[in-house]
Amino acid sequence: MSVVLPRRAMDEVSKSADPFAEILTRVGGLSGITIMYHMVLLASYVKPERTRGGVILIDQSREEDIFQGKTGMVLKLGREAFQDDLDTQFHGQKAELGEWVVFKLGDAWKIQIRDWPCLLVRDSAIKMKTDDPSIIF
């Protein structure tokens, strides 16, 4: 199955002072999308084109984040996300819109919404939160 990689969008988000706002622009309005049950919609994290040390990354390295990335930004929650049930107790922990979260790659369903790669994961598949998604490999 071929995948259209959003290279232009990746570059513009990479250069943005506010990546969250730029990703939301790329994904577009989500009012017509309902996330079901306990699922969480995430925007895939894609490395910036330049590292903090100034090294320019090749496209192939950055594209790997789309296929192998384990970090995503919370875009939308299902109605039952992070609510305790018989199988899972969250003890008050939850992920909020705009937060970066980490999950097991095999637990994510990859989709693309408009101009950005996204993922759907079950709330209980989210294993941690991070302020800096670039530190997760």
Side-chain angles (χ1 to χ4, degrees):
M1 177 175 106
S2 63
V3 174
V4 176
L5 297 171
R7 287 188 178 96
R8 180 178 295 161
M10 288 166 52
D11 289 341
E12 290 177 12
V13 168
S14 171
K15 295 173 185 172
S16 175
D18 185 357
F20 178 69
E22 188 63 34
I23 288 172
L24 289 180
T25 299
R26 296 290 158 196
V27 171
L30 296 173
S31 62
I33 295 175
T34 301
I35 307 303
M36 304 300 290
Y37 311 113
H38 51 261
M39 300 302 288
V40 179
L41 177 64
L42 306 173
S44 295
Y45 171 72
V46 178
K47 290 186 225 51
E49 71 178 346
R50 284 184 186 262
T51 66
R52 289 182 183 146
V55 175
I56 298 173
L57 300 173
I58 60 171
D59 284 346
Q60 187 176 7
S61 172
R62 295 174 61 223
E63 290 165 3
E64 197 65 24
D65 288 338
I66 295 171
F67 302 108
Q68 298 296 324
K70 301 166 200 69
T71 309
M73 182 176 53
V74 178
L75 295 177
K76 196 164 186 177
L77 303 170
R79 187 180 62 191
E80 297 174 14
F82 300 104
Q83 293 183 18
D84 294 344
D85 60 25
L86 295 174
D87 297 323
T88 308
Q89 302 293 310
F90 292 99
H91 304 286
Q93 295 181 350
K94 63 186 280 187
E96 303 287 346
L97 298 179
E99 289 185 318
W100 292 103
V101 297
V102 182
F103 52 90
K104 180 180 156 196
L105 186 60
D107 291 335
W109 183 40
K110 295 180 184 316
I111 59 175
Q112 184 162 327
I113 298 180
R114 295 183 187 89
D115 200 16
W116 197 257
C118 296
L119 309 123
L120 275 172
V121 298
R122 184 182 166 115
D123 55 4
S124 61
I126 293 172
K127 302 304 181 192
M128 65 187 221
K129 299 191 289 187
T130 181
D131 291 337
D132 184 359
S134 69
I135 65 172
I136 307 298
F137 297 98

